Structure formats: structure tokens, C-alpha cells
Amino acid sequence: MAIHCSRTCLQYLIHLAHDNVDFRLPEIRALLSLRGKPFDPGENFKEKSPFWRLNGLSEEDVNSIMARTVCAKSAFELWGHGRTHSELRNSLLKYPTENMSPFLQKDSTYKINVYTFNKTLEFEDRIKKIDAMEYLSFEGRVNLRNPKHIFCLLEDYGTDPNDIPDEPLYIYFGRWIADGQRELIRSHSVKNRHFIGNTSMDAGLSFIMANHARVKAYDLVYDPFVGTGSLLVACSHFGAYVCGTDIDYNTIHGIGKASRKNQKWRGPDENIRANLRQYGSEKLYVDVLVSDASKPIWRDGVLFDAIITDPPYGIRESTRRTGSQKDSVNSVKPSEDYVGDSHVPVSMAYHLSDIFTDLLNFSAHHLVIGGRLVYWLPIYRPE
């Protein structure tokens, strides 16, 4: 018996990239929250699976997610699914005809792709799987180059490359809706970035952080450990105004030794502003300042819609703040009328616990209500 359902209660299939697996769920949740939608997975949800079924969404919601996500590859309107091709066939035959028919008309063109996760199929095998779906009433013409509608048969062979089953563990069939923004990882690669440093954030992780923070157009975003501005680049891509601070004078001003191989010194135009100019978002660049994150420089009150940062951990980048060891002991202070020689402020160790205490306190005072703080926290996994 057919299951009658309007187009408002469809189920959608998200095909996720199998990298940065721990960050996929927070990213999709954050992007759904921008639309005011909850994360409502289908039955038997498995977070580590490359395929998620989501309920309670519209096609507009799905398009909104795919316009930003770098963790998801593609999204589909799910027409049928099952553990075997026989179960898939029964599921497809139960799918409401009124939901299928707009995409199967005589005057339309289409093609069917076959995607397999964790297994490679020969071309002939793919054709056989497509031919076996003749029970679907496609009335349009096949057009492999520029079809009006694209459908996909997706087979999941598990996540263990050393134990690939002969038959798929699960099979899905649906209408393609949109691809994610995986191309941003290549187009914004730090390998081709105008201005980089030893610890410039990977492009993919930068966009994931911006999505976790729910950065959107006209937001004001701040990075207190801005470095070479990789996070500002990602946030400006989504239309936010960006600013930052860093204690490193040479990095902020783009001077000193270069980080690139076969380049001794940085050029006169190597700076954060030039990075945003490279990607066409210079108009969203507010400014960056040389400043110590442990010292207050901002006026009281809420200022920022999001604070996104990658604090230094002392491994590839030293953790320093202005001051001296004398500040931490009971030393004799000079008299008020003492006039000493001017000097460049010295720096002292900035312990990791102090970095995060200062960061949390700063965010509590300067983030708007509902704004998000997103940062990296180093952990030792065995513990």
C-alpha cells in the first residue's frame, strides 16, 4: 500500500565526507540552527556513518545547509532505501507517486549516477545496477551532459577498508538536490595563500570553525590570536566584518622572515589585508592590532557576534604575554617620582590555563547574547 505524504514531510539524505568526522555533527547542527530547525535524524542513526537521513526539513533548508557546509558532499531527496536491492525496490514502489511524477515527465531529461562508499565498481557493474531499476517509470530522455534532473544510487560498504563485504550493507536512492562547499578547501588552500605563517590554519578547518560559530553576513567577528588571518578569511567569505589582535608585531605588520621555502624575507605587500583582497573580501576587513590578549583594550559592553580563534599552545608557536618575572614576586616598586629610561616591554610565559581563563572571561563580557566562542583546545587522547 502506498504511503501518502505531502512534500512537506519528505526525508533527505546527506552524504558526508569521511574526514574531520568529529566535527561533522556540530557543523550540521549549527547550520540547521541558523534556519531555526532541529537536528532530527532517521531511525538507526549512526554518527560515524557517511550517510545521514534527516527529517522535518524543506528543500530550501537543505539548500541552505549545502551552501555553507564543508563536511557534507551532497544532499538528496530520499526516495527509497533498504539493506538489499529487493528492499530498495519495495521501498521505491511505496514512495508517493505524486512526489515522483514532477521529475519523471516526458519533456524532462535525466541521468542516474552510482556512488559506492568504500568500494570501487567496474563501469559494467554500474550499468547493470542502473538497468536493474527499470521498474521506475522514467519517461524523459537520458542526458548525461546536462540533465534537468540527477538521480543517484548510493551503496554503503562500511567504513573498514580491510573488510569490504561483497554486497552493500545499505542502499539508498534519491534525487540530487545540491553539493556542499568542498571546493572551498582547494580554492582557499594555504599553499596558494598570499600571506602565511608557520601555524596558518588549514582552510577546511577554518570554514568548519566559521560554521560552528554560525557566522553570517554583517556579523562582527574577532580573533584575539589572529596570526596570519586564516580564520578572518573564512568568516569574511560568509559576509562577516572581521578584526583581530596578536602580540607578534612582525606578523601583524607582515615583516621579518618568510615562512615559505626558498623565500628569505616577507614582501612589502604580505599582510592580512592582502589575504582578504586575494579572495575578494577586502571590504569586510576592519583592522588588526598589535595587542596582548591578557590585557584589556576594549571598551566595556558587548561588541562581537562571534569570537573565533586558535590560541598558541607553545608547540610550534610560543605562548607569551607582556610583563616580566618580577610581576609574579613581591619586588620593591620604584618611587612615584622615579624617571627611568624608556624600553620595549619584555615578555613572559603565558600559561595555557591562563590563556583560556582570559579568553572565556573576555568572551563573557564582549559577546552578544547568543553569540558563540569557537576555539581549539589541545587534549591528550589517552587521558
Side-chain angles (χ1 to χ4, degrees):
M1 184 175 70
I3 301 173
H4 296 287
C5 173
S6 69
R7 295 199 61 78
T8 59
C9 61
L10 300 176
Q11 191 172 61
Y12 293 91
L13 181 72
I14 306 294
H15 172 211
L16 298 124
H18 210 61
D19 56 16
N20 297 314
V21 175
D22 292 336
F23 305 137
R24 300 186 312 189
L25 183 56
E27 188 201 49
I28 299 300
R29 283 184 182 273
L31 295 179
L32 282 170
S33 70
L34 283 174
R35 304 274 305 173
K37 298 286 184 170
F39 180 79
D40 183 10
E43 58 183 6
N44 301 319
F45 171 71
K46 296 179 180 178
E47 184 180 342
K48 304 301 182 183
S49 169
F51 301 104
W52 293 353
R53 286 179 278 154
L54 300 183
N55 302 313
L57 303 178
S58 67
E59 189 166 324
E60 186 179 356
D61 294 330
V62 175
N63 275 311
S64 176
I65 295 171
M66 302 311 289
R68 293 191 50 147
T69 177
V70 293
C71 287
K73 288 185 174 182
S74 303
F76 307 86
E77 178 189 317
L78 187 60
W79 285 13
H81 56 91
R83 288 182 293 272
T84 65
H85 280 277
S86 177
E87 285 188 10
L88 174 66
R89 183 180 186 277
N90 292 334
S91 178
L92 284 169
L93 293 177
K94 291 178 181 178
Y95 194 70
T97 304
E98 61 268 26
N99 288 347
M100 284 188 178
S101 57
F103 311 102
L104 307 179
Q105 302 296 327
K106 289 183 178 180
D107 58 349
S108 67
T109 57
Y110 73 95
K111 74 173 179 179
I112 300 177
N113 292 330
V114 176
Y115 175 79
T116 54
F117 181 80
N118 198 32
K119 187 171 185 176
T120 301
L121 293 181
E122 298 292 337
F123 178 75
E124 293 77 8
D125 294 328
R126 293 173 183 268
I127 296 299
K128 288 179 181 178
K129 290 179 181 291
I130 293 174
D131 290 341
M133 305 192 71
E134 60 183 1
Y135 52 85
L136 289 177
S137 55
F138 289 101
E139 297 181 3
R141 293 178 294 104
V142 174
N143 185 332
L144 299 181
R145 292 194 174 187
N146 188 30
K148 188 175 181 180
H149 306 298
I150 300 174
F151 303 91
C152 197
L153 177 69
L154 304 104
E155 296 185 337
D156 183 3
Y157 287 85
T159 58
D160 186 355
N162 298 315
D163 184 21
I164 303 174
D166 294 330
E167 297 297 326
L169 303 178
Y170 216 85
I171 312 165
Y172 307 89
F173 183 85
R175 177 178 65 89
W176 174 84
I177 294 177
D179 288 332
Q181 303 302 307
R182 301 284 294 173
E183 172 62 19
L184 290 175
I185 299 174
R186 185 202 62 80
S187 64
H188 286 66
S189 170
V190 293
K191 294 179 181 178
N192 304 315
R193 188 79 50 85
H194 188 75
F195 175 48
I196 63 170
N198 293 333
T199 57
S200 292
M201 178 63 68
D202 169 80
L205 295 176
S206 298
F207 283 107
I208 288 174
M209 291 180 74
N211 281 332
H212 284 188
R214 302 186 299 193
V215 170
K216 58 187 183 300
Y218 309 114
D219 280 355
L220 179 60
V221 179
Y222 172 63
D223 182 351
F225 302 96
V226 69
T228 57
S230 292
L231 296 175
L232 302 193
V233 168
C235 293
S236 66
H237 176 79
F238 296 125
Y241 292 94
V242 294
C243 58
T245 58
D246 202 286
I247 197 172
D248 192 328
Y249 179 95
N250 286 348
T251 299
I252 288 293
H253 289 276
I255 60 177
K257 291 185 178 180
S259 297
R260 280 194 168 88
K261 187 178 180 181
N262 302 324
Q263 181 181 342
K264 189 173 183 181
W265 303 101
R266 289 172 174 148
D269 62 340
E270 288 191 58
N271 50 58
I272 296 173
R273 180 189 287 272
N275 278 349
L276 271 72
R277 185 185 307 126
Q278 179 180 353
Y279 301 108
S281 55
E282 184 181 5
K283 65 182 180 180
L284 299 170
Y285 176 77
V286 178
D287 208 348
V288 292
L289 305 171
V290 179
S291 175
D292 181 351
S294 68
K295 303 292 192 293
I297 64 169
W298 301 94
R299 64 173 171 83
D300 291 336
V302 296
L303 299 172
F304 307 112
D305 297 288
I307 297 173
I308 308 178
T309 193
D310 178 29
Y313 310 135
I315 299 174
R316 288 192 300 163
E317 186 176 0
S318 62
T319 56
R320 310 296 294 174
R321 64 177 175 178
T322 56
S324 70
Q325 299 303 327
K326 294 180 181 179
D327 296 336
S328 59
V329 298
N330 294 323
S331 57
V332 178
K333 295 183 179 179
S335 61
E336 293 183 1
D337 59 350
Y338 172 77
V339 179
D341 295 331
S342 61
H343 68 282
V344 176
V346 298
S347 62
M348 60 183 292
Y350 193 12
H351 299 294
L352 200 59
S353 58
D354 294 329
I355 290 177
F356 288 107
T357 299
D358 290 342
L359 180 60
L360 291 169
N361 284 332
F362 178 86
S363 301
H365 286 91
H366 295 293
L367 266 179
V368 301
I369 299 300
R372 286 192 168 186
L373 165 65
V374 178
Y375 60 91
W376 288 98
L377 177 66
I379 63 169
Y380 181 55
R381 282 192 178 275
E383 295 180 359

